[in-house]
């Protein structure tokens, strides 16, 4: 499973929409999150860190 799929899985487990996650992040919009989750856009380390914080999970849960 790739990073985008893991982000989507963790987000959906918490019942958070892409829009709500984007509002929490403020550095990414819903379209960018969608592209990351679908593997159409890479994710930068700082974005990954912010996503993990917004979801309240350790970054290792996304990258392993």
């Amino acid at each position: 499973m790739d990073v985008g799929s893991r982000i989507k899985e963790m987000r959906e487990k918490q019942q958070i929409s892409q829009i709500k996650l984007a509002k929490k992040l403020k550095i990414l919009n819903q379209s960018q999150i969608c592209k990351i989750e679908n593997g159409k856009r890479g994710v930068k380390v700082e974005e990954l860190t912010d996503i993990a914080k917004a979801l309240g999970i350790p970054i290792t849960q996304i990258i392993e």
Side-chain angles (χ1 to χ4, degrees), residues 51-64:
I51 291 169
K53 284 181 187 175
L55 294 174
I57 59 173
I59 196 168
T60 54
Q61 201 168 350
I62 297 173
I63 60 173
E64 289 182 344

Side-chain angles (χ1 to χ4, degrees), residues 7-28:
I7 292 170
K8 182 176 182 177
E9 180 183 353
M10 297 298 128
R11 179 182 59 75
E12 288 178 341
K13 277 185 182 177
Q14 296 183 30
Q15 298 179 340
I16 297 173
S17 68
Q18 290 177 344
I19 293 170
K20 188 173 179 181
L21 180 57
K23 286 180 181 179
K24 283 182 160 189
L25 292 171
K26 299 177 184 170
I27 60 165
L28 297 171

Side-chain angles (χ1 to χ4, degrees), residues 21-56:
L21 180 57
K23 286 180 181 179
K24 283 182 160 189
L25 292 171
K26 299 177 184 170
I27 60 165
L28 297 171
N29 62 36
Q30 181 273 329
S31 177
Q32 292 168 314
I33 292 169
C34 181
K35 287 177 183 176
I36 289 168
E37 289 182 353
N38 291 314
K40 295 181 180 176
R41 178 191 186 280
V43 61
K44 298 175 186 172
V45 173
E46 59 271 8
E47 293 170 340
L48 194 56
T49 302
D50 289 345
I51 291 169
K53 284 181 187 175
L55 294 174

